[in-house]
Amino acid sequence: MPRVVSIFLPTWPTDRIRRKLGATAPPAEAPLVLVGRDGRRRVVLAVDAAAQAAGLDVGMPVTKAQALTPGLIVMDADPEADAEALERLALWALQRYAPIAAADPPDGVVLDISGAAHLHGGEDAMVKGMVERIVAAGIAARAALADSWGAAHALARFAPRPSIIIPTGESAKAILGLPIRALRLPKDMVDGLRVLGFESIGELAATPRAPLALRFGPELGRRLDQALGRLCEPIDPVRPPDLVEIRRAFAEPIGAAETIARYTGKLVVLLCDALEAKGLGARRLDLVFHRVDNRIGAIRIGTALPVRDAKRLTRMLCDKIETIDPGFGIEIMRLAASVAEPLEAKQTISSLTDEPEADVSALIDALANRVGEDRIYRFAPVASDVPERSVARIAPLAPGTGEGWPDHWPRPSRLLAVPEPIDALALLPDHPPASFTWRGVRRRVKRADGPERVFGEWWKRDAELAAVRDYFQVEDEAGERFWIYRAGDGEDAATGSQRWFLHGLFG
């Protein structure tokens, strides 16, 4: 069953204008509307959140909007630029998240994430990451994940929560209470249904089809079946102009796993040849299957480095074939390098006595495509005196940050994610604790070294202007070693709370 994400951008045109203007954009609290012409009238075509809160709405005459809202900022709408930017957003989603993504005009993006969610830590983490990245770019966003495009579209726009994930098989039940406007019906049809007393999708679903089709035509039943998952609605994915893609159509549909694997290998060889001609290597491959029943399945794999090794890529794709349901048969297969980077041939061994460099990229790719790309990483040092900020996660084969680990004081092999408070008995201001209690166990300190004073990073946070930590390495009577600190210098309350914390453990 397909899994479809609909991303709704409620104030898309105004958010796009603010991003385009950058530093010269009006403040977020200033109401902003975009206007255009409806015949001979100038009307509001888009409003931002502040304008909505002021009571303005799409379709309102501009003169009325200006009269109701003093200080209203009025700008001309540019629907063509909005559509182009929405296509670019869909292309970003295609390259970053799913093999099937498309614009859902005028205010959304739709993705079929079947076969790709595992690369991003599962469906919950994937949807959350999409929304967070879009919001961080200054664009308001809502998202819904369901079994059909129609259900996801309706839930993203009319569900009470800004982000909602419907379990497989429960989408039809989840949308029954939504208003009939959620079915993507023309406005005059919605008005006609309301005249007849219909308010929710559930009421429509419980009504015999024949009278409704006789009065409103076939579109009403089609939209209802699409939302309930009874009728397939394929997504026509956005395609970048420089996409490297190989396509194979079959005179007779195929369905056996062995046949699919054989043609996958052939497509990979052709794709690698095309990549080599352009001096590129694949970082992300999408294998898309078009079934005879108008449904689409897809496999997505990623690599840590640019690759055009046909055997390696074929093996990675064939490992995922078992996740594809061929249905009544597959009539078209498409293989595309949705993300490709320059890859030049290089000599691996310069002489008979040289040892080849260890290449762990194949292992990393196998693990990442099994458990998710976001779960495979390595730690790298970051320039910061604050211990929890001196470590960052980077891609397994990413180049180094250029920083080194501190060598003037030893650092623990295990750093706690959050320092844990402890009860300590110590002579202030510079002496280490004589004993401390951590997690209900009292420990007597046998040896100690310190203090190592760490100052707050005032250029990042004003609250750290006077902040101080004094770190000690301590060893208890059992020989266990701990890294603890006191918040403050032991004298001035402005430098910290003077409480003690355990921050790490030495091996």
Side-chain angles (χ1 to χ4, degrees), residues 150-152 154-155 170-179 183 201-202 224 227-228:
L155 290 164
E170 298 183 16
S171 299
K173 182 172 63 176
I175 66 172
L176 294 180
L178 300 181
L183 289 177
I201 295 176
L224 185 60
L228 296 176

Side-chain angles (χ1 to χ4, degrees), residues 11 14 18 28-34 44 46-58 60 65 68-69 72-73:
T11 54
T14 54
R18 290 185 188 275
E29 61 274 10
L32 169 66
V33 299
L34 304 181
V44 174
V47 298
D48 68 353
Q52 288 178 348
L56 307 185
D57 200 1
V58 175
M60 179 181 292
L68 290 175
T69 312
L72 178 67
I73 299 173

Side-chain angles (χ1 to χ4, degrees), residues 7 28 50 55 79 204 206 215 242 247 292 341 356 374 381 436 475 477 497:
I7 301 176
L204 275 179
R215 178 159 184 169
D242 56 348
R247 181 178 182 273
V292 295
E341 296 179 358
D374 296 339
F436 66 94
E475 181 181 329
E477 293 177 327
S497 64

Side-chain angles (χ1 to χ4, degrees), residues 39-340:
R40 301 180 62 181
R41 301 167 57 231
R42 292 186 77 224
V43 298
V44 174
L45 298 182
V47 298
D48 68 353
Q52 288 178 348
L56 307 185
D57 200 1
V58 175
M60 179 181 292
V62 176
T63 52
K64 181 178 179 181
Q66 290 175 317
L68 290 175
T69 312
L72 178 67
I73 299 173
V74 178
M75 303 183 70
D76 291 331
D78 190 351
E80 292 184 0
D82 292 338
E84 291 176 1
L86 202 61
E87 287 285 331
R88 291 195 297 272
L89 185 62
L91 181 58
W92 167 81
L94 171 76
Q95 296 176 333
R96 179 69 177 85
Y97 288 107
I100 302 174
D104 190 8
D107 52 14
V109 175
V110 60
L111 306 88
D112 187 339
I113 66 168
S114 306
H118 68 283
L119 295 176
H120 303 277
E123 294 180 346
D124 291 358
M126 187 176 189
V127 173
K128 181 180 178 182
M130 289 183 199
V131 174
E132 288 179 348
R133 283 182 170 87
I134 294 174
V135 171
I139 301 172
R142 295 168 57 93
L145 172 60
D147 295 334
S148 66
W149 183 354
H153 185 279
L155 290 164
R157 287 153 179 80
F158 295 94
R161 287 181 289 168
S163 180
I164 183 170
I165 297 175
I166 305 300
T168 302
E170 298 183 16
S171 299
K173 182 172 63 176
I175 66 172
L176 294 180
L178 300 181
I180 55 177
R181 289 188 300 138
L183 289 177
R184 297 175 291 170
L185 298 171
K187 186 177 183 302
D188 57 346
M189 189 180 296
V190 172
D191 294 339
L193 289 168
R194 283 179 172 169
V195 169
L196 296 178
F198 292 102
E199 293 294 337
S200 69
I201 295 176
E203 294 171 351
L204 275 179
T207 302
R209 290 286 182 89
L212 293 175
L214 185 63
R215 178 159 184 169
F216 296 102
E219 184 176 6
L220 176 58
R222 179 171 60 86
R223 286 300 192 190
L224 185 60
D225 285 340
Q226 288 173 344
L228 296 176
R230 300 169 182 166
L231 185 63
C232 178
E233 185 178 9
I235 299 171
D236 184 18
V238 62
R239 316 307 291 172
D242 56 348
L243 182 69
V244 182
E245 182 179 34
I246 303 298
R247 181 178 182 273
R248 176 68 182 261
F250 303 101
E252 293 291 336
I254 64 173
E258 297 81 2
T259 307
I260 296 173
R262 184 170 67 254
Y263 283 107
T264 297
K266 294 180 179 180
L267 290 175
V268 171
V269 171
L270 295 175
L271 184 73
C272 288
D273 291 342
L275 290 171
E276 185 174 8
K278 295 187 176 183
L280 300 175
R283 284 294 311 277
R284 186 153 290 157
L285 284 184
D286 296 329
L287 182 57
V288 181
F289 305 89
H290 296 261
R291 294 172 20 175
V292 295
D293 58 358
N294 211 26
R295 294 185 181 274
I296 298 178
I299 294 173
R300 165 165 282 197
I301 62 169
T303 61
L305 296 173
V307 175
R308 56 170 180 255
D309 183 344
K311 291 184 178 180
R312 176 172 162 185
L313 296 175
T314 300
R315 183 173 61 252
M316 294 169 63
L317 288 169
C318 289
D319 286 344
K320 300 290 183 181
I321 285 179
E322 62 184 15
T323 64
I324 295 298
D325 178 13
F328 295 107
I330 296 169
E331 57 183 357
I332 299 175
M333 290 175 60
R334 289 191 296 105
L335 179 62
S338 54
V339 178

